[in-house]
Amino acid sequence: MKYFSVTLMEKGKKRQEIIKAVNKMSAVQVAKQKFPRTLITKAIETSAPLEDSIVQFFTGLKKFSKKKIPIQDKISTIRQIAVMTDAGIAINDTLLEVSENTQNKQLKEIYAKVNSDINAGNSMSDAMEPYTEEFGHVALAMTNLGERTGNISESYHKLADIMENIRDNTAKFKKAIRSPLITLAAMAIAFTILIMVVVPKFKDIFSKFKTELPIPTQILLKLEWAFSNYGLLILIILVASIFLVKFMYKNNEDFKYKVDKVLIHPRFYLINKAIFLSTMHKYNLVFGELVKSGIPVSEALDTAVGMVDNEVIKEKLLTVNANIGRGMSLAESFQITGLYENMLLQMIKAGEAGGQLDAMLDKVTDYYDMEFQDLIDNLSAYIEPVMMFFIAGLVLLMALGIFLPMWDLGRAVKN
């Protein structure tokens, strides 16, 4: 949501009102409804009012500090609901049992509230809707499907399968990058210790040199001076910067969009490919499963795009449903996004023509999964050259910084 300064003309006098809306056109429509007897002369996007900014900050801080529900806990409760309803147990009794048995406090409260809402006469999908952020759009879609077909058990079994697939791929990616990150952190700590311990021992010797010191030595001396005098401040700034970036990424749409755009840029070695493949696999997995379950393509597209985290990719995928509404085929709509290879587009086109779209979407999902698994399995081999270059650079800087002045001193003594 954005803020717009709308200029109104009433009885020959101008005044301005701040309107919150999705875009400029929506802001004008809201202003017309809110002030029917006024003439709207212009609407300009503006910054949020101070009070709203403060509210947004504390809301974002609360959201940022809120503990995330582990996906394994969600899968366990969803699978339990599927098994119990399949055994013929009423949904309200099932939810009550799940609420009492789960160890996660957030899930306990959520299922107790959902059960209470169902007992008050609401449908299960209506009761689950306030918790879309916790469970995701696909959970709400599968709940709707289960209510429409009268088979919550089958829908929730499929939902658990989808979430397990996403969990496994996420876990594999984290495991693959854990070792390189630990190595980099160890090297950074070792380099800092060497600067703090080794460089000071040569500092007095270097200070007696009457000639200008080599650039590597100057760099080491400046780093040692900065760490000795401002080490704690540097650490605080580093931690605060990481916290601020994470906070802004979660709460500022413009900042998130810019970061997402950078992350999938071709120059961002490996990271861009990993994000693209994992995103497309998750999107096509959810979309294919929803279509296979009988959910209309338009609704399945809306639900699947809700699973996409990268805003740049999401922006492109959001055009698919709009283009289908204009009369385009699914394959044509996907082609316009520029996200699908020609081979995959031909498969989707063949699936549409032959009435086997769900089968072809399975193959598309398998393709992205295969590419992603190949990337993960060979991640160490891909990262190794970068790691070696980084480590060699640190070692070279340390060696040249210390030994170059010594060689100069040795030559001077010899001469």
Side-chain angles (χ1 to χ4, degrees), residues 145-380:
L145 176 66
E147 285 186 316
R148 286 206 301 262
T149 60
N151 196 340
I152 286 288
S153 175
E154 184 180 348
S155 295
Y156 268 44
H157 272 304
K158 287 186 178 179
L159 173 60
D161 291 340
I162 292 171
M163 295 178 74
E164 282 176 351
N165 195 303
I166 294 171
R167 177 204 61 191
D168 293 343
N169 278 343
T170 303
K172 285 180 182 178
F173 182 71
K174 288 181 178 179
K175 185 178 179 181
I177 65 171
R178 189 178 297 133
S179 179
L181 288 177
I182 291 173
T183 304
L184 283 174
M187 281 301 303
I189 293 170
F191 183 71
T192 304
I193 292 173
L194 283 172
I195 288 176
M196 297 296 293
V197 175
V198 177
V199 173
K201 295 183 184 299
F202 293 90
K203 194 174 181 180
D204 293 335
I205 299 174
F206 295 158
S207 63
K208 295 177 183 178
F209 287 6
K210 295 181 180 180
T211 58
E212 187 177 354
L213 293 170
I215 292 177
T217 307
Q218 293 181 38
I219 293 173
L220 289 180
L221 290 174
K222 287 177 180 178
L223 286 173
E224 188 274 334
W225 176 83
F227 290 159
S228 298
N229 293 280
Y230 302 103
L232 184 60
L233 180 62
I234 291 171
L235 182 62
I236 292 172
I237 291 173
L238 182 63
V239 174
S241 298
I242 294 171
F243 176 85
L244 181 62
V245 168
K246 289 177 70 176
F247 178 82
M248 291 288 288
Y249 185 79
K250 287 188 175 182
N251 295 282
N252 188 293
E253 292 179 4
D254 291 336
F255 182 80
K256 185 180 188 305
Y257 185 88
K258 290 175 182 177
V259 172
D260 286 344
K261 191 174 183 178
V262 170
L263 289 176
I264 62 169
H265 194 277
R267 293 180 184 176
F268 236 70
Y269 180 67
L270 284 181
I271 294 177
N272 61 338
K273 192 175 181 181
I275 291 173
F276 175 76
L277 291 175
S278 62
T279 300
M280 294 304 291
H281 171 257
K282 183 164 61 174
Y283 174 80
N284 286 281
L285 171 69
V286 173
F287 178 50
E289 287 295 333
L290 294 177
V291 170
K292 196 187 300 181
S293 300
I295 290 179
V297 170
S298 178
E299 188 178 332
L301 285 168
D302 282 338
T303 302
V305 81
M307 301 292 293
V308 177
D309 297 320
N310 188 282
E311 291 297 325
V312 179
I313 297 177
K314 179 184 279 189
E315 186 178 56
K316 294 179 179 180
L317 291 172
L318 281 169
T319 63
V320 175
N321 219 348
N323 288 329
I324 289 176
R326 296 188 184 102
M328 291 186 184
S329 67
L330 182 63
E332 289 173 334
S333 301
F334 278 147
Q335 185 177 17
I336 291 173
T337 65
L339 298 172
Y340 288 82
E341 296 178 19
N342 187 58
M343 174 189 69
L344 302 177
L345 292 170
Q346 293 302 319
M347 291 166 60
I348 294 170
K349 188 175 182 180
E352 282 187 290
Q356 294 182 323
L357 180 61
D358 54 347
M360 287 303 174
L361 287 173
D362 280 344
K363 294 185 183 298
V364 172
T365 303
D366 290 340
Y367 170 80
Y368 281 117
D369 187 43
M370 179 184 67
E371 290 289 309
F372 182 73
Q373 298 303 329
D374 179 68
L375 177 68
I376 296 300
D377 293 340
N378 297 286
L379 194 61
S380 297

Side-chain angles (χ1 to χ4, degrees), residues 82-103:
V83 171
M84 292 181 71
T85 51
D86 192 34
I89 301 173
I91 188 63
N92 53 344
D93 293 333
T94 297
L95 291 173
L96 182 62
E97 183 71 19
V98 171
S99 173
E100 291 176 351
N101 290 330
T102 184
Q103 298 298 315

